[in-house]
Amino acid sequence: MSRKQQRGEATVEQLLDAALRVYAETGEQGLTVAAITRTSGVSLGSLYHHFGSIDGLLDALVDRWLGHLLGETLAALEHTRTARTGIRALVRAYLGFVQEHRDAARLLHSAHADRRAVADGRRLRDAREARVSPLVQWIQGYVERGELAPLEPPLIESLILGPVVGIARRWLSGIGDVDLDRAAVLLPERIWRAVAADHGTG
């Protein structure tokens, strides 16, 4: 990699890090060009060169942290040998990520991320297919082995992740009535009962 490319990557990282700091402090409404350039120390021209706009920067930030979240949850699955232990590991990894990276998790569960997913769902699906497919493959493998219910993988994925995302959103909202550590212990068994081929009796 040339020095110019290295400088470019460093600038991108500076802008992304600054954007998350500004988002954490002020929310989406505070993500302005002035705030990003002031916090990052990067010029306006560089911001537009690398991302095109504030929306482009925010989209890149979402993609960056989504990649981290998917990477951690998929890594957790690699160390399990059954669907049941896999669900437990995935739930704990997801909620652990939310606790450890609260600001990034707020962004991933934000109205902006939701609007983007709805408005650009097809492109996002295609772009993320390679990253998401390992989870789908993991589910399909256990459906074929008879451990998970014979349902379409996207449906099982929703049954597994839906409650986890719901709890994460509630905790991130600051209501204060959710204990993520307790949820990480209790949710996996409840989810297992919903997706197990034997309805969790085995």
Side-chain angles (χ1 to χ4, degrees), residues 8-53:
E9 287 197 2
T11 298
V12 165
E13 291 299 312
Q14 279 181 263
L15 288 165
L16 290 172
D17 289 343
L20 185 61
R21 289 199 300 273
V22 172
Y23 179 83
E25 293 170 4
T26 67
E28 186 179 342
Q29 69 277 7
L31 277 172
T32 63
V33 170
I36 299 299
T37 54
R38 182 175 61 250
T39 303
S40 66
V42 174
S43 70
L44 175 63
S46 290
L47 187 155
Y48 282 111
H49 170 72
H50 289 290
F51 298 104
S53 65

Side-chain angles (χ1 to χ4, degrees), residues 128 152 155:
R128 294 172 183 168
E152 297 85 351
L155 181 55

